[in-house]
Amino acid sequence: MTDFKIDLRDLFFILKEQLGYSRLCRLDAFKDLNERTLDLLVNEAVRFAKGVLDPLNAVSDAEALLYEKGEVRCPVAFKKAFRQCGDDGWIAAVGDPAYGGQGFPLMMRIVINEMMYGACQSFNSAPSLTFGAARLIHSFGTRALKERFVPKMFDGTWSGTMCLTEPGAGSDLGALETAATPEGDHFYIKGSKIFISWGEHDLTDNIIHLVLARIDGAPSGTRGISLFVVPKVRVEPDGMLGEPNDVVCTGIEHKCGLHASPTAALTFGGRDGCIGYLCGEENKGLAHMFQMMNGARINTAVSGMTLAGTAYRNALAYTRARVQGRDIAGRTAEDVAIIRHPDVRRMLLWMKAAVDGMRSMIYTVAFWEDLAKGLNPGPEKTRCQDLLDFMTPILKAYCSDTGFRVCEVAMQCLGGYGYCRDYPIERYLRDAKIMSLYEGTNGIQSMDLMGRKLSLRNGACLKAYQDEIDTFCAARREHPVLKEGVRQLHETAGMLWVCAEEMKRRMKADPLQWASYTYPALMAFGEVTMAWRLLDMAVIAADRVGAEDGSDDFHRGKLCQAIWFVDTTLPHTQARIRTCLRTGREIVDMPDNAF
Amino acid sequence: MTDFKIDLRDLFFILKEQLGYSRLCRLDAFKDLNERTLDLLVNEAVRFAKGVLDPLNAVSDAEALLYEKGEVRCPVAFKKAFRQCGDDGWIAAVGDPAYGGQGFPLMMRIVINEMMYGACQSFNSAPSLTFGAARLIHSFGTRALKERFVPKMFDGTWSGTMCLTEPGAGSDLGALETAATPEGDHFYIKGSKIFISWGEHDLTDNIIHLVLARIDGAPSGTRGISLFVVPKVRVEPDGMLGEPNDVVCTGIEHKCGLHASPTAALTFGGRDGCIGYLCGEENKGLAHMFQMMNGARINTAVSGMTLAGTAYRNALAYTRARVQGRDIAGRTAEDVAIIRHPDVRRMLLWMKAAVDGMRSMIYTVAFWEDLAKGLNPGPEKTRCQDLLDFMTPILKAYCSDTGFRVCEVAMQCLGGYGYCRDYPIERYLRDAKIMSLYEGTNGIQSMDLMGRKLSLRNGACLKAYQDEIDTFCAARREHPVLKEGVRQLHETAGMLWVCAEEMKRRMKADPLQWASYTYPALMAFGEVTMAWRLLDMAVIAADRVGAEDGSDDFHRGKLCQAIWFVDTTLPHTQARIRTCLRTGREIVDMPDNAF
């Protein structure tokens, strides 16, 4: 019995029935693949997650990391698992075959991460960051840089990181001070970074840091930032490891959760010189880094969703097994399993809908990302890119906050036991909390959405999103079972479009007032997206209800969750939208001393 | 600089301006007290909390407890603090002077707990439980029992616990199996209890357990439960300690938070016999225990509120100090403290309103409790008891869930730093989580409110509550500044009364459907109560705005928080009420296998 729990029918329902993910195999890049190979990968991923990663929790839960004199010692089992992760191709699954990748669609990275983050959140950021860093070098580095680093990262010989934050530059990256001084074909890097996930460890002999720094004389602010590849140990032209590169870990954080994932403070070039290689264009570093950061934002959503998913399924298993109290309607004389108690079922149904809706939302966006990348130029490709850009901050913020909330409710289902370490839910809760904070706080996401994204490409992103919702509502407004839910979605979406226009206006007219309502506005977009995805699944399920192949309950569940979630959530969404439209300026006008 | 932060002006505003707490000194029991002595106690409590309890967190944060062979070793500093707590009269502050108590109003226990739980949640459950257990003996025990135990508990020589839960009897106490066999003037107790806070420790030489057990031959279910005083070490008639009483600790829990508070599993009478003394009437044990449990439920609300309070003030201090990013409206050219960012202010204002509203709600109920106890018989005394009974489950559930939410939002204000142990907020968050789970889960509270309490004493409790709200709305509906908020409260309350009637009807007509909406209905009562308390404070503050005594900002803050909270919360409350009134039966009808 593993802690990590998932019902693959839920996942395949989305991948196959809702999205038809094998359509990706029609893209040029994936023409050697077919539905069977994709399915196989999904099944292998869950097997690996349960067999190799889930057992790591036994050692990851306590304060598993040893920091001493700049070195971080990880549990031995982690080292072995990382090795296996590389050997078995999990890091490279969606990488370019020319550099040792397996060439699967990007979407499969999300599937893999759902399994692996769900099985061991602490561990999986290591392979996930390694892929992200390698992909960044692959996208923007020179051929030499790619050849030197990418294959060894894809196969897990070396790991990777992203180094953005500095003590004085967190949410405001424009303030960063790490310096890069040119010296022949490379640069000397000098500065400090903090909050670097897997910034120091002993899983691999080398760590490849992707570092944002400012080249001497570059403009201040975000326009003077460049991206550098900075190995922990220098790499000789023949690929062999050379001297240490003066990247020193000065400490690791003691955190609420993620106890086995080292969060390092690093000093670059504090002693005898740290060499870095420019990756991509000078002063375009932040734009380049956004590839990795957007990927990380989506992965943050995946983490929130998958921790919620396994928390829900653990709570469900508990409520089925735990016998306590009488049936409130007296349907039986004996004590019953607590899943029979309506208030417990309320929590279960909400969690089920929340997880399934988030999963659908995330996979839908992942599907668009592959289309945006793989389609030939044209309106469909553009539309998918618009949708991806628009949805990224929604996914990040909505799924992180909601994922945490699901873990909270899951704990509630277990009563006092949920608070104890005998069950994994308290760990899920602690691990999930970081998702709202890192990769740009959720407040920052809301300003990205309601500021940049609403107007991006002349409003095309918002328009593409609106078209998706409006088209769905128009197509399903007469649906025999779901028309009332569709009507509510249509009504709420209409209010949201008005709100979006008003927010656009206010951003210019009164940016302070605007910024004090971006977060609830983002959450309204999240809820509308959830309602849409759940209803879309329910439309498919409605045709299957009554089938005698044993799938009846499964499909009834999809219907129930959609109808109930929509009818109990959208009234709140409408309240939220009204709140965003209010003109009160209390938040802004309140004197600082009045807090 | 201590972690625990509170602005005493907020507290005194409620105690003096809103409630006029010195009115309690008119009651017979408190006629030797006056406002100055009450104020003094408040000021001393905060001094003690900051000076003695707050420093305990430094040792309480790690896994501070050592369990070995049935014994629990606590940090030495805890032992010293408990001693001082007893010596300085904090345990006995509201106890009966005839047994060594200080004779303050019960309400002052809440003030003391706000300070002490806020300063060190792990520690303060020890003195708090000790008082609760001593009070229980005082209320129901024989004179001999009282004389033998109460003074030594009041002065902290011995500590106390409440022993209810068993492995098979958690939410359903009727299932408990611990047995009591009569033997002369005492009983032999045999059974196991779990989740006993401070059930074993080395702070004191003896621990007095208040144990629920079933006397041989007693009826099954809740009607056959009696209450016993069971010392860990037997107490000779002369008050000296005798032989061990065969109460064996078989382990302690490893928990999400509260790391320095031992949660013990205890076996009574497993070896050579465990003696217990009947406290109160045979088979009335559960009713007796409810005195302590209701006290514990209110204390749970206090814990949620005070952890939220110190989390808010820690976040506030951080947002004032942390400089990051430009002013969004360009009001200054320099980087600004993040309190200048509207989305940060949104979080601060919500936390401020949530904490102040909860505090007012709790103290108002505490005030009623003293009146219910101290007034001469008559309608006013009855009204206060009705209000106390009605509000207890609302306080417990609303303040625990909301307190946790405030800790979450406080963490968000600190970004990644909030997730690290360098700041106390992640500890507050972990400690606060238990409040929704223990002393009856919040689901149980909602069934108590929407079941028993709605109809209790022929609906008098609900009626008393409605009168409070309706009277306030009628009196303030023309208020020059607040009339719009009052109108919204009135409108929402009207919907809530309809909802309450409908819930009463459904409880009988369709208990399953009823029970699937009790929780959102309780939250609606919580929000209405918050709106009322915040508006009530704002009415007072409105008269002070513009004063030139330096209090202007303070009073403006009370106005802002009320107007903003009411206008952004009550739309959600109305949505929630509509949700409770829906007739959908998805939660109930969904097949178990569909989850």
Side-chain angles (χ1 to χ4, degrees):
Chain A
M1 253 303 250
T2 56
D3 285 346
F4 176 58
K5 290 185 176 30
I6 186 171
D7 186 335
L8 282 184
R9 288 181 305 172
D10 287 330
L11 180 59
F12 278 123
F13 185 82
I14 293 168
L15 294 177
K16 290 165 178 277
E17 311 291 322
Q18 191 177 26
L19 298 172
Y21 78 150
S22 64
R23 287 189 288 156
L24 293 177
C25 303
R26 294 186 212 148
L27 296 171
D28 278 354
F30 312 123
K31 60 181 185 314
D32 295 342
L33 300 171
N34 56 41
E35 182 153 351
R36 221 183 55 81
T37 49
L38 298 183
D39 293 355
L40 198 68
L41 189 72
V42 177
N43 285 309
E44 281 304 312
V46 75
R47 199 192 323 271
F48 188 84
K50 289 190 174 184
V52 179
L53 266 49
D54 193 278
L56 297 178
N57 288 310
V59 290
S60 79
D61 205 16
E63 290 281 353
L65 302 170
L66 224 76
Y67 172 82
E68 210 178 357
K69 293 181 191 154
E71 291 186 3
V72 175
R73 199 100 40 88
C74 300
V76 177
F78 271 54
K79 191 165 179 170
K80 212 174 138 231
F82 192 81
R83 184 68 264 132
Q84 204 174 337
C85 222
D87 287 347
D88 292 3
W90 293 113
I91 301 172
V94 308
D96 179 356
Y99 291 86
Q102 310 251 344
F104 277 98
L106 274 175
M107 182 186 199
M108 301 311 287
R109 179 84 235 154
I110 302 296
V111 178
I112 293 167
N113 278 338
E114 168 161 6
M115 307 303 176
M116 313 262 171
Y117 274 126
C120 189
Q121 189 70 38
S122 273
F123 172 81
N124 193 51
S125 43
S128 185
L129 279 164
T130 300
F131 168 70
R135 186 177 172 221
L136 202 53
I137 300 173
H138 181 269
S139 297
F140 303 107
T142 59
R143 188 181 180 88
L145 217 48
K146 289 200 264 196
E147 283 173 352
R148 208 191 300 188
F149 291 103
V150 175
K152 287 208 163 107
M153 296 169 79
F154 275 178
D155 74 7
T157 304
W158 301 336
S159 74
T161 76
M162 56 195 286
C163 299
L164 289 77
T165 305
E166 299 177 6
S171 295
D172 179 17
L173 284 172
L176 71 81
E177 292 180 346
T178 296
T181 307
E183 173 75 34
D185 70 339
H186 56 263
F187 289 76
Y188 278 108
I189 308 293
K190 206 169 162 59
S192 294
K193 297 285 180 180
I194 57 168
F195 292 152
I196 308 308
S197 297
W198 291 96
E200 172 58 26
H201 60 79
D202 61 354
L203 304 187
T204 54
D205 296 335
N206 206 0
I207 304 173
I208 313 306
H209 302 289
L210 278 286
V211 179
L212 291 184
R214 203 179 294 283
I215 297 173
D216 297 348
S220 65
T222 53
R223 281 160 203 210
I225 296 174
S226 303
L227 176 65
F228 296 88
V229 177
V230 184
K232 173 186 168 188
V233 181
R234 293 184 188 175
V235 179
E236 303 295 331
D238 63 359
M240 300 298 285
L241 293 183
E243 295 293 301
N245 192 27
D246 193 12
V247 180
V248 176
C249 173
T250 55
I252 57 173
E253 302 294 338
H254 298 277
K255 308 187 297 292
C256 179
L258 294 177
H259 287 171
S261 163
T263 305
L266 299 177
T267 301
F268 296 88
R271 297 174 185 174
D272 28 60
C274 168
I275 286 175
Y277 305 95
L278 182 67
C279 184
E281 283 183 63
E282 263 187 40
N283 298 337
K284 290 280 166 65
L286 197 58
H288 297 338
M289 186 57 104
F290 255 98
Q291 179 195 75
M292 187 165 180
M293 208 148 32
N294 280 327
R297 285 174 178 180
I298 292 175
N299 273 329
T300 301
V302 174
S303 291
M305 175 269 287
T306 190
L307 288 173
T310 181
Y312 161 59
R313 296 235 153 247
N314 274 277
L316 178 60
Y318 182 87
T319 62
R320 287 190 164 136
R322 170 77 171 167
V323 172
Q324 183 85 169
R326 293 299 165 92
D327 184 279
I328 194 171
R331 289 170 296 185
T332 55
E334 306 298 305
D335 281 4
V336 295
I338 63 173
I339 193 176
R340 301 306 299 160
H341 298 320
D343 187 62
V344 171
R345 297 169 82 81
R346 171 188 63 80
M347 296 191 278
L348 292 173
L349 184 52
W350 180 76
M351 289 192 282
K352 176 182 165 58
V355 171
D356 220 24
M358 287 193 283
R359 184 182 282 126
S360 170
M361 194 194 270
I362 291 169
Y363 282 110
T364 302
V365 173
F367 188 71
W368 287 331
E369 183 167 16
D370 272 311
L371 294 179
K373 213 175 140 63
L375 284 174
N376 294 325
E380 183 59 9
K381 183 189 184 82
T382 309
R383 192 183 68 88
C384 289
Q385 184 66 46
D386 289 343
L387 287 165
L388 168 65
D389 290 342
F390 193 75
M391 283 300 297
T392 299
I394 299 174
L395 287 187
K396 196 279 179 184
Y398 184 86
C399 296
S400 56
D401 278 356
T402 306
F404 181 72
R405 191 79 60 248
V406 171
C407 293
E408 186 190 344
V409 171
M411 185 183 280
Q412 196 69 21
C413 291
L414 274 72
Y417 288 108
Y419 197 63
C420 297
R421 298 211 170 156
D422 310 62
Y423 293 87
I425 295 178
E426 71 87 29
R427 185 181 70 243
Y428 296 149
L429 184 83
R430 288 184 290 105
D431 287 356
K433 192 72 226 78
I434 191 63
M435 306 307 152
S436 305
L437 301 162
Y438 71 9
E439 313 305 351
T441 65
N442 287 357
I444 301 244
Q445 303 302 321
S446 76
M447 293 176 68
D448 177 44
L449 179 71
M450 301 311 293
R452 215 169 75 83
K453 296 295 169 66
L454 274 193
S455 309
L456 191 63
R457 295 195 274 280
N458 223 353
C461 298
L462 171 63
K463 182 68 171 44
Y465 176 84
Q466 290 173 323
D467 285 349
E468 287 290 326
I469 308 287
D470 290 343
T471 304
F472 173 83
C473 290
R476 304 303 179 187
R477 71 181 171 193
E478 304 294 347
H479 191 281
V481 188
L482 297 161
K483 64 184 168 200
E484 176 52 22
V486 172
R487 189 197 63 73
Q488 288 175 65
L489 174 59
H490 182 66
E491 179 183 295
T492 311
M495 292 173 63
L496 190 57
W497 309 156
V498 171
C499 178
E501 289 311 310
E502 174 62 13
M503 291 296 275
K504 263 200 259 187
R505 195 191 65 75
R506 282 194 199 174
M507 185 175 62
K508 290 185 180 136
D510 188 353
L512 291 165
Q513 219 278 356
W514 165 79
S516 59
Y517 289 97
T518 52
Y519 177 77
L522 178 143
M523 292 308 277
F525 271 98
E527 287 166 349
V528 162
T529 311
M530 288 285 284
W532 165 48
R533 295 285 74 199
L534 287 166
L535 286 168
D536 187 58
M537 284 192 275
V539 165
I540 300 164
D543 291 338
R544 317 283 163 86
V545 163
E548 289 180 15
D549 59 356
S551 71
D552 187 49
D553 281 351
F554 176 78
H555 291 111
R556 275 186 203 281
K558 301 279 177 214
L559 274 178
C560 276
Q561 71 179 14
I563 293 169
W564 182 78
F565 185 92
V566 167
D567 201 28
T568 59
T569 303
L570 292 186
H572 283 280
T573 311
Q574 296 192 3
R576 215 181 293 287
I577 293 169
R578 282 196 197 98
T579 297
C580 294
L581 290 171
R582 67 193 289 278
T583 52
R585 293 177 51 91
E586 300 85 3
I587 292 174
V588 174
D589 289 344
M590 176 129 154
D592 283 7
N593 284 328
F595 282 103
Chain B
M1 255 299 251
T2 56
D3 284 346
F4 177 58
K5 290 186 176 30
I6 186 172
D7 186 334
L8 281 185
R9 289 182 304 172
D10 288 329
L11 181 59
F12 279 123
F13 185 81
I14 292 167
L15 294 178
K16 291 164 177 277
E17 312 291 322
Q18 191 177 26
L19 298 172
Y21 78 149
S22 64
R23 287 187 289 154
L24 293 177
C25 304
R26 294 186 214 150
L27 297 171
D28 278 353
F30 312 122
K31 60 182 187 312
D32 294 342
L33 300 171
N34 56 40
E35 180 153 353
R36 222 184 53 81
T37 48
L38 298 183
D39 293 356
L40 200 66
L41 189 73
V42 177
N43 285 310
E44 282 305 313
V46 75
R47 200 194 321 272
F48 188 84
K50 288 189 174 185
V52 179
L53 267 48
D54 193 279
L56 297 179
N57 288 310
V59 289
S60 80
D61 205 16
E63 291 281 353
L65 302 171
L66 226 75
Y67 173 83
E68 209 178 358
K69 294 181 193 158
E71 293 187 1
V72 174
R73 199 100 40 85
C74 301
V76 177
F78 271 54
K79 190 165 180 169
K80 212 172 138 231
F82 192 81
R83 184 68 266 132
Q84 204 174 337
C85 221
D87 287 346
D88 292 5
W90 292 113
I91 299 172
V94 308
D96 179 356
Y99 292 86
Q102 311 250 343
F104 277 98
L106 274 175
M107 183 186 198
M108 300 311 287
R109 179 83 236 154
I110 303 296
V111 179
I112 293 167
N113 278 338
E114 168 161 5
M115 307 304 175
M116 312 263 171
Y117 274 126
C120 190
Q121 190 69 37
S122 273
F123 173 81
N124 193 52
S125 43
S128 185
L129 279 164
T130 299
F131 168 71
R135 187 179 171 220
L136 201 52
I137 300 173
H138 182 269
S139 297
F140 302 107
T142 60
R143 189 181 180 86
L145 217 49
K146 288 201 265 195
E147 283 173 353
R148 208 191 302 187
F149 291 103
V150 174
K152 287 211 163 102
M153 295 170 79
F154 275 179
D155 74 7
T157 304
W158 301 336
S159 72
T161 75
M162 55 195 286
C163 299
L164 289 77
T165 305
E166 299 177 6
S171 295
D172 179 18
L173 284 172
L176 70 80
E177 293 180 345
T178 295
T181 307
E183 171 76 35
D185 72 336
H186 57 264
F187 289 76
Y188 278 108
I189 308 292
K190 203 167 163 61
S192 294
K193 297 284 180 180
I194 56 169
F195 292 153
I196 309 306
S197 297
W198 290 96
E200 171 59 26
H201 60 80
D202 61 354
L203 303 187
T204 54
D205 296 335
N206 206 359
I207 304 173
I208 314 305
H209 303 288
L210 277 285
V211 179
L212 291 184
R214 202 180 295 282
I215 296 174
D216 298 346
S220 65
T222 54
R223 282 158 201 209
I225 297 174
S226 302
L227 177 64
F228 297 88
V229 177
V230 184
K232 173 185 168 187
V233 182
R234 294 185 187 174
V235 180
E236 303 295 333
D238 63 358
M240 299 298 284
L241 293 184
E243 295 293 302
N245 191 28
D246 193 12
V247 180
V248 175
C249 174
T250 56
I252 57 172
E253 302 294 338
H254 297 277
K255 308 187 297 292
C256 179
L258 295 176
H259 286 172
S261 164
T263 305
L266 299 177
T267 300
F268 297 87
R271 296 175 188 173
D272 28 60
C274 168
I275 287 176
Y277 305 95
L278 182 67
C279 183
E281 283 182 65
E282 262 187 41
N283 298 338
K284 290 281 166 64
L286 197 59
H288 297 338
M289 186 57 104
F290 255 98
Q291 180 194 75
M292 187 166 181
M293 208 148 33
N294 280 328
R297 284 175 178 179
I298 292 175
N299 272 330
T300 301
V302 174
S303 290
M305 175 269 286
T306 189
L307 287 173
T310 181
Y312 161 59
R313 296 235 154 249
N314 273 277
L316 178 61
Y318 182 87
T319 62
R320 285 189 165 136
R322 170 76 171 168
V323 172
Q324 183 85 169
R326 293 300 165 91
D327 183 277
I328 195 172
R331 290 170 294 185
T332 56
E334 305 299 304
D335 280 3
V336 294
I338 63 172
I339 194 177
R340 301 306 297 158
H341 300 318
D343 186 61
V344 171
R345 296 170 84 80
R346 170 187 64 78
M347 296 190 278
L348 292 173
L349 185 51
W350 180 76
M351 289 191 283
K352 176 181 165 59
V355 171
D356 221 22
M358 286 193 284
R359 183 182 282 125
S360 170
M361 193 194 271
I362 290 169
Y363 281 110
T364 302
V365 174
F367 189 71
W368 288 331
E369 183 168 14
D370 272 310
L371 295 179
K373 213 175 140 63
L375 283 174
N376 295 323
E380 182 61 9
K381 184 188 183 84
T382 310
R383 192 184 68 89
C384 289
Q385 186 65 47
D386 289 342
L387 288 164
L388 168 65
D389 289 341
F390 194 75
M391 284 300 298
T392 299
I394 299 175
L395 287 187
K396 195 281 178 182
Y398 184 86
C399 296
S400 56
D401 278 356
T402 306
F404 181 72
R405 192 76 60 250
V406 171
C407 293
E408 185 191 344
V409 171
M411 186 183 279
Q412 197 68 22
C413 291
L414 274 72
Y417 286 108
Y419 196 65
C420 297
R421 299 210 171 156
D422 310 64
Y423 293 87
I425 294 177
E426 69 87 29
R427 186 181 68 243
Y428 297 149
L429 184 83
R430 287 184 293 105
D431 287 355
K433 191 72 225 77
I434 192 63
M435 306 307 153
S436 306
L437 301 164
Y438 73 9
E439 312 305 351
T441 64
N442 286 356
I444 301 249
Q445 303 302 320
S446 76
M447 291 176 69
D448 177 44
L449 179 71
M450 302 311 294
R452 215 170 75 83
K453 296 296 168 64
L454 273 192
S455 308
L456 190 64
R457 297 195 272 283
N458 224 353
C461 298
L462 171 63
K463 181 69 172 46
Y465 176 84
Q466 289 173 326
D467 284 350
E468 287 290 326
I469 307 286
D470 289 343
T471 305
F472 173 82
C473 289
R476 303 303 180 188
R477 70 180 172 194
E478 304 293 347
H479 192 283
V481 188
L482 297 160
K483 63 183 168 200
E484 175 53 21
V486 172
R487 190 197 61 72
Q488 288 175 67
L489 173 59
H490 182 66
E491 179 183 296
T492 311
M495 292 173 63
L496 189 57
W497 309 157
V498 172
C499 178
E501 289 311 311
E502 174 63 13
M503 290 297 273
K504 263 201 261 187
R505 195 191 64 75
R506 283 194 198 174
M507 186 176 60
K508 288 184 182 137
D510 188 353
L512 292 164
Q513 219 278 356
W514 166 80
S516 59
Y517 289 97
T518 52
Y519 177 77
L522 178 143
M523 292 307 278
F525 272 97
E527 287 166 350
V528 162
T529 312
M530 288 285 283
W532 166 47
R533 295 285 73 199
L534 287 166
L535 286 168
D536 186 59
M537 285 192 273
V539 165
I540 302 163
D543 291 339
R544 317 284 162 84
V545 163
E548 290 181 12
D549 59 357
S551 71
D552 188 50
D553 281 351
F554 176 78
H555 291 112
R556 275 185 204 282
K558 302 279 178 214
L559 275 179
C560 276
Q561 73 181 12
I563 294 169
W564 182 79
F565 185 91
V566 167
D567 201 28
T568 59
T569 302
L570 291 186
H572 283 279
T573 311
Q574 297 194 0
R576 214 181 293 287
I577 293 170
R578 281 196 198 98
T579 296
C580 295
L581 291 171
R582 66 193 291 278
T583 52
R585 293 177 51 91
E586 300 84 3
I587 292 173
V588 175
D589 290 344
M590 177 129 152
D592 283 10
N593 284 327
F595 283 103

